Amino acid sequence: MRTERKLTRLDRVFARLDREPERPAHIDVPKMSRHRIVLFASTLAFYGAIVWAIVITSWLVRFDWQVMFFRPYQQWAEIHAFVDYYVVLGQRGPTAVMVAAWLGWRSWRQHTLRPLLALGVSLLLLNVTVGAAKLGMGRLGPHYATTVGSNEMWLGGDIFPSGHTANAVVTWGILAYLASTPRARRWLSAVSAVTSLGVGLSTVYLGTHWLSDVLLGWAAGLLILLALPWFEPLITWSEARIFGLRDRVRERRAGAVAVPTTPVVGAPVLLKPRPVPADSEAAAREATPVAHSPRTTVHPPAYLAPGPHTARAERTPVTPVGSRRPPHPDRIARGAPQPARPLTGG
């Protein structure tokens, strides 16, 4: 009795992926709507408020110091090992490789470069904006603080805003940005927000960032995601240029591989008679009279196939000792003088 194999959960996942269309008929590209502009302006105002609160050494700075003196890594030491692994979700190298692999598969499946180009633009904006803010404000971290209660600004540090938090927001949020349905976008937005906040709180637990660093990093990453629709024309232009370059390379390769024209083997070649001088032709006619007969036939010109021709001597099998033909007493070597033949009367 033949029984069918029971499909596992992994088999069902791959079967569902195989049903995905090669190229969606309609790709929902987010636009800079009025709602998104309001969110962008609100997040930008929140960003400025956090920076101003740190610059004037407000209550937020005092709260940072209280959290630092609390030392969460000592209060909850049992979760230290888990937090060490969880904070990797905010490191740029591992997360960028994982997300790029997934988006690369989507690009190959849907025959579009938009997912990879959107990831590249977002990471470029992240490096420029967050890196400039880090170097410009130069805040020291909790482990390197010099004066209790100070904001530790412009002292050569590079932790404000939190790069781990901003990277987690952008890297995992780009999946929500590129989602094909509104429902998937909402779910992925919630997951990326929780993941990025968890990464930021992990850095506070380990003592590598102030709490205000995490808040500013979360706002910095959200600003990049909200501003991505402004860069959609650039993404579309870059995709068209890359595909155009690919088509030109293919055309050049096709032209280089074209088979060169060669003469057709086996075509007959007409042998034309060599021109003979007039005096030689007259002497030959006088020496050899031609008998005109009604049975005399004119042969057509000979046709020979092109190609190299070998002499008869080359076609004769030759051994190191000499020719394989047996000697013959009556055979005269080629080129020797012919003996005179006796005249016979008839």
Side-chain angles (χ1 to χ4, degrees), residues 265-276:
V265 178
V269 178
L270 176 62
L271 297 181
K272 298 182 179 180
R274 180 180 298 178
V276 181

Side-chain angles (χ1 to χ4, degrees), residues 208-243:
T208 57
H209 278 288
W210 308 99
L211 182 61
S212 56
D213 299 342
V214 174
L215 296 177
L216 194 66
W218 190 83
L222 185 59
L223 285 175
I224 294 173
L225 291 179
L226 292 174
L228 273 182
W230 280 328
F231 295 90
E232 284 293 340
L234 176 62
I235 293 173
T236 304
W237 177 83
S238 301
E239 182 181 16
R241 291 296 298 270
I242 293 174
F243 280 144

Side-chain angles (χ1 to χ4, degrees), residues 128-153:
V128 172
T129 57
V130 176
K134 282 174 174 288
L135 297 178
M137 290 181 280
R139 191 183 188 189
L140 293 176
H143 292 316
Y144 303 97
T146 56
T147 305
V148 177
S150 66
N151 57 12
E152 302 297 324
M153 296 282 285

Side-chain angles (χ1 to χ4, degrees), residues 30-158:
K31 298 180 180 179
M32 188 56 72
S33 60
R34 183 177 302 177
H35 177 69
R36 185 179 285 268
I37 292 176
V38 171
L39 287 177
F40 182 84
S42 303
T43 307
L44 186 60
F46 179 77
Y47 188 98
I50 295 296
V51 174
W52 179 251
I54 299 302
V55 170
I56 65 175
T57 316
S58 65
W59 62 270
L60 187 55
V61 176
R62 294 192 296 270
F63 187 71
D64 285 340
W65 280 96
Q66 290 176 2
V67 174
M68 193 272 287
F69 285 134
F70 183 70
R71 291 182 174 83
Y73 57 89
Q74 293 182 355
Q75 300 294 330
W76 301 293
E78 61 275 6
I79 64 172
H80 198 287
F82 170 76
V83 174
D84 282 337
Y85 286 104
Y86 184 82
V87 79
V88 177
L89 295 177
Q91 291 184 0
R92 192 165 307 167
T95 55
V97 170
M98 290 187 291
V99 174
W102 168 255
L103 295 181
W105 183 84
R106 281 190 57 183
S107 297
W108 172 77
R109 188 64 183 270
Q110 298 178 356
H111 303 283
T112 176
L113 293 177
R114 180 174 171 265
L116 287 177
L117 291 176
L119 176 64
V121 170
S122 62
L123 292 180
L124 180 61
L125 292 175
L126 176 68
N127 291 333
V128 172
T129 57
V130 176
K134 282 174 174 288
L135 297 178
M137 290 181 280
R139 191 183 188 189
L140 293 176
H143 292 316
Y144 303 97
T146 56
T147 305
V148 177
S150 66
N151 57 12
E152 302 297 324
M153 296 282 285
W154 301 292
L155 296 177
D158 59 349

Side-chain angles (χ1 to χ4, degrees), residues 8 183 246 299:
T8 62
R183 181 181 179 183
R246 180 201 61 180
H299 297 281

